[in-house]
């Protein structure tokens, strides 16, 4: 009975073991099938290759699609067949003493069946496949990203080269005021080196720059996200800059032009202008200039004082229409002559408080660098005193002519009569023998004096006329 029971028990255990083994095999088969479906169905390329021969042992559908081989063709290839020839030495070197741990193998260049090259990121780990040591690899195609990064890198390098080639300064700051880029022109203008200033806080590197408008304007661009423009002097270097500041994603960009020389020229021009203004305002003569539309460009104080007398308006109020008076038309006509390139002077006369006044006006074309007339410079001076003096000289000359005429006609006639009568007298007559010769000699001497005076008078008169001419 015990034997029968033992036999039945042993049979039951054996049956149970067989059932467990059968269920385990079914479960194992199902797990393997699930793994295969997972391996083949994952959308990322995966393959398994022999750790020694590099032959492919398994590939999924995504790898077949990416590399362009059929699964049967793929399994006839080796790992080296999907690498460009120049990458193979690095591949072989990589597999020396390769760890069996899961690892990121980095970025590699692969090649597909059509010969097209593309970048991938490779993740690899050791496994056992069908009883052999193998490597399972997951491949992420990063070619588009790499190409895009390469384009960005090339464009960035191109931009840096372009910014380095321009003659104006440029630098960029992040939101911590650290210099992230500076071009060569800015290095020269700011007397610094790129390797010394990159990554440094601008205000720490140039502490005195907070004293001017720099910090306030930069902060406004940074916080308000607006573009600003200003001109400022960095006193420690004596450098003037015309700055444009633009907000960027992570800070600001500063574009500036070194205008130090321009400022010096402007200062010199201003000083020269002040000196010239002092000179032209230190005269009672009127000096002014007009453009091609006959609008007044500038004038000295004497000119504006005269304009106020004529129009009742000041420098900022007077217009061209205010000057279109009948007695001023001569000036506009003369402007046109000067615009045609002629330089000339006019003498004009006017009545003032029952007194004759005279003035001379000079008109001189103003030319640009291309020798084109762009305006007219005018100079008016009062020549009344000179004209009065000239009139006095003319009157004096007239009186001299009258004296000469009297001497040559009215005085000389009696002398001639004396000389004639003396010649008629008989010298043999004793009373006349001594007197007549003396009388004749005196008359001849008087006649010579009259002739000398007359000649001298005409010479003086002729000289005055020549001088006035």
């Amino acid at each position: 009975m015990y034997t029968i029971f033992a036999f039945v028990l042993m049979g039951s255990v054996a049956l149970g073991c067989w059932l467990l083994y059968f269920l385990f095999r079914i479960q194992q088969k199902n797990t393997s099938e699930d793994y295969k479906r997972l391996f083949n169905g994952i959308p990322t390329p995966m393959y398994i290759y022999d750790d020694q021969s590099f032959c492919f042992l398994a590939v999924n559908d995504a790898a077949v699609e990416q590399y362009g081989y059929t699964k049967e063709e793929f399994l006839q290839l080796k790992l080296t067949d999907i690498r460009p020839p120049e990458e193979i030495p690095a591949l072989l070197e990589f597999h020396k003493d390769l760890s069996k741990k899961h690892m990121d193998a980095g970025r590699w260049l692969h090649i597909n069946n059509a010969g097209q090259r593309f970048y991938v990121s490779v993740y690899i780990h050791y496994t056992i496949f069908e009883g052999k040591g193998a490597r399972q690899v997951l491949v992420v195609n990063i070619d588009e990203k790499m190409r895009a990064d390469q384009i960005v890198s090339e464009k960035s390098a191109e931009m840096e080269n372009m910014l380095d080639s321009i003659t104006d300064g440029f630098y960029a700051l992040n939101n911590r005021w650290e210099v992230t880029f500076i071009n060569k022109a800015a290095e020269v203008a700011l007397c610094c080196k790129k390797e010394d200033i990159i990554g440094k806080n601008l205000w720490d590197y140039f502490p005195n720059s907070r004293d001017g408008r720099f910090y306030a304007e930069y902060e406004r661009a940074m916080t308000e996200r607006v573009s600003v423009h200003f001109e400022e002097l960095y006193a420690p270097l004596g450098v003037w800059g015309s700055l444009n500041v633009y907000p960027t994603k992570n800070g600001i960009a500063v574009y500036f032009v070194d205008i130090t020389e321009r400022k010096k020229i402007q200062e010199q021009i201003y000083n020269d202008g002040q000196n010239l203004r002092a000179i032209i305002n230190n005269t009672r003569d009127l000096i002014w200039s007009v453009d091609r539309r006959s609008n007044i460009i500038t004038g000295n104080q004497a000119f504006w004082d005269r304009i106020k007398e004529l129009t009742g308006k000041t420098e900022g109020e007077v217009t061209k229409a205010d000057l279109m008076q009948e007695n001023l038309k001569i000036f506009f006509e003369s402007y046109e002559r000067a615009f045609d390139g002629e330089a000339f002077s006019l003498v004009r006369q006017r009545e003032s408080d029952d007194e004759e006044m005279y003035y001379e006006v000079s008109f001189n074309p103003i030319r640009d660098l291309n020798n084109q007339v762009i305006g007219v410079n005018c100079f008016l001076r009062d020549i009344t005193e000179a004209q009065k003096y000239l009139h006095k000289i003319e009157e004096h000359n007239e009186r001299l002519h009258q004296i000469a005429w009297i001497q040559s006609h009215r005085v000389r006639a009696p002398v001639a009569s004396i000389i004639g009568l003396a010649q008629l007298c008989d010298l043999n007559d004793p009373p006349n023998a001594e007197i007549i010769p003396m009388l004749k000699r005196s008359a001849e001497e008087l006649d010579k004096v009259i002739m000398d005076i007359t000649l001298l008078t005409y010479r003086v008169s002729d000289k005055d006329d020549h001088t006035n001419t």
Side-chain angles (χ1 to χ4, degrees):
M1 183 75 176
Y2 176 79
T3 302
I4 295 173
F5 177 77
F7 178 79
V8 172
L9 181 61
M10 288 178 63
S12 298
V13 170
L15 179 62
C17 289
W18 184 85
L19 287 174
L20 287 174
Y21 174 76
F22 179 75
L23 290 174
F24 173 76
R25 292 291 296 174
I26 292 176
Q27 181 65 31
Q28 187 180 38
K29 183 177 180 181
N30 290 339
T31 301
S32 177
E33 291 298 323
D34 288 343
Y35 175 79
K36 286 182 179 179
R37 282 195 297 271
L38 178 64
F39 178 78
N40 286 319
I42 193 170
T44 302
M46 294 183 66
Y47 54 78
I48 300 172
Y49 66 91
D50 188 285
D51 196 31
Q52 299 298 318
S53 66
F54 290 171
C55 291
F56 287 110
L57 303 176
V59 295
N60 70 352
D61 296 338
V64 169
E65 181 180 355
Q66 177 166 281
Y67 290 89
Y69 297 101
T70 64
K71 185 168 292 190
E72 291 73 18
E73 291 173 333
F74 222 130
L75 295 177
Q76 299 299 316
L77 302 176
K78 293 184 177 182
L79 187 64
T80 54
D81 293 324
I82 61 171
R83 303 295 180 95
E86 66 272 16
E87 289 264 315
I88 293 176
L91 174 67
L92 298 177
E93 184 67 26
F94 174 76
H95 277 79
K96 290 181 179 180
D97 301 323
L98 184 61
S99 171
K100 291 185 177 182
K101 296 180 180 179
H102 178 276
M103 64 180 299
D104 179 356
R107 186 188 67 195
W108 294 86
L109 190 62
H110 282 194
I111 186 170
N112 63 17
N113 190 26
Q116 296 173 331
R117 300 182 178 205
F118 54 94
Y119 287 97
V120 296
S121 283
V122 176
Y123 301 89
I124 185 172
H125 73 275
Y126 182 80
T127 187
I128 300 295
F129 185 84
E130 295 181 351
K132 297 180 180 180
R135 300 283 177 176
Q136 184 168 349
V137 177
L138 181 144
V139 179
V140 178
N141 191 324
I142 60 170
D143 191 64
E144 289 187 5
K145 179 180 181 301
M146 285 295 300
R147 304 292 182 189
D149 289 346
Q150 185 175 2
I151 291 173
V152 170
S153 178
E154 290 174 354
K155 291 296 183 183
S156 178
E158 182 181 347
M159 179 64 71
E160 288 191 15
N161 290 334
M162 181 181 70
L163 290 173
D164 273 337
S165 67
I166 63 176
T167 57
D168 300 326
F170 178 86
Y171 57 88
L173 307 173
N174 61 23
N175 54 18
R176 295 185 299 276
W177 301 112
E178 294 168 344
V179 180
T180 58
F181 178 82
I182 183 170
N183 73 347
K184 292 180 180 178
E187 289 181 74
V188 173
L190 300 177
C191 299
C192 64
K193 293 183 178 180
K194 180 179 293 187
E195 55 268 24
D196 295 334
I197 195 172
I198 292 295
K200 302 291 179 59
N201 183 288
L202 181 73
W203 312 117
D204 293 339
Y205 198 89
F206 297 108
N208 294 320
S209 58
R210 286 179 175 268
D211 297 337
R213 296 174 58 191
F214 297 101
Y215 184 81
E217 297 294 348
Y218 284 19
E219 187 178 41
R220 186 160 71 93
M222 183 85 77
T223 57
E224 298 180 17
R225 315 305 295 164
V226 295
S227 300
V228 297
H229 170 77
F230 64 100
E231 293 183 359
E232 187 58 283
L233 169 69
Y234 184 59
L237 296 178
V239 176
W240 272 96
S242 174
L243 299 99
N244 289 283
V245 186
Y246 307 98
T248 61
K249 181 179 180 181
N250 298 313
I252 57 174
V254 181
Y255 173 87
F256 71 92
V257 180
D258 186 343
I259 59 171
T260 306
E261 290 303 316
R262 192 183 81 188
K263 281 291 185 180
K264 290 180 180 178
I265 293 172
Q266 287 178 345
E267 183 178 2
Q268 184 62 46
I269 291 174
Y270 175 79
N271 292 337
D272 290 345
Q274 289 295 94
N275 292 335
L276 179 60
R277 198 167 288 111
I279 292 172
I280 65 175
N281 283 331
N282 192 30
T283 178
R284 296 177 61 186
D285 299 328
L286 277 58
I287 304 173
W288 75 99
S289 58
V290 296
D291 61 19
R292 289 201 65 90
R293 295 182 179 179
S294 299
N295 294 315
I296 300 170
I297 301 173
T298 187
N300 68 347
Q301 191 59 48
F303 171 78
W304 292 117
D305 290 343
R306 180 59 180 158
I307 289 296
K308 189 171 183 180
E309 290 178 13
L310 293 172
T311 65
K313 295 184 178 181
T314 61
E315 177 180 350
E317 299 171 340
V318 69
T319 64
K320 179 180 176 181
D322 296 321
L323 303 176
M324 299 299 291
Q325 302 176 17
E326 186 65 29
N327 61 333
L328 298 179
K329 285 185 178 180
I330 183 64
F331 289 98
F332 290 92
E333 295 171 359
S334 299
Y335 294 158
E336 295 303 321
R337 286 179 58 186
F339 288 142
D340 291 335
E342 181 183 357
F344 59 96
S345 297
L346 297 176
V347 175
R348 305 294 298 173
Q349 177 183 359
R350 66 184 178 90
E351 299 291 335
S352 176
D353 298 329
D354 299 328
E355 179 185 3
E356 288 186 347
M357 297 190 69
Y358 298 87
Y359 57 88
E360 180 183 42
V361 191
S362 299
F363 298 88
N364 297 285
I366 302 173
R367 299 179 183 274
D368 62 12
L369 293 175
N370 298 317
N371 204 34
Q372 299 296 314
V373 178
I374 59 174
V376 177
N377 176 254
C378 309
F379 182 87
L380 183 150
R381 62 189 183 95
D382 188 340
I383 59 171
T384 303
E385 293 301 321
Q387 287 295 107
K388 288 180 178 180
Y389 182 71
L390 181 60
H391 291 165
K392 288 180 179 180
I393 292 175
E394 290 175 349
E395 292 173 0
H396 177 64
N397 287 341
E398 180 62 27
R399 286 196 296 269
L400 288 177
H401 281 299
Q402 291 174 2
I403 293 170
W405 186 87
I406 291 172
Q407 290 174 342
S408 63
H409 292 81
R410 296 178 63 184
V411 175
R412 195 167 183 275
V415 173
S417 298
I418 294 171
I419 294 173
L421 291 173
Q423 290 176 347
L424 293 177
C425 293
D426 186 1
L427 297 178
N428 296 321
D429 188 0
N432 299 328
E434 295 182 3
I435 297 175
I436 295 303
M438 293 175 60
L439 182 62
K440 182 178 180 181
R441 186 167 52 254
S442 298
E444 288 175 349
E445 291 176 356
L446 181 59
D447 182 56
K448 187 176 182 304
V449 171
I450 293 171
M451 292 180 65
D452 289 342
I453 293 174
T454 301
L455 180 60
L456 183 59
T457 301
Y458 277 107
R459 284 180 178 175
V460 172
S461 178
D462 290 341
K463 185 178 179 181
D464 288 342
D465 288 342
H466 179 73
T467 301
N468 291 333
T469 303

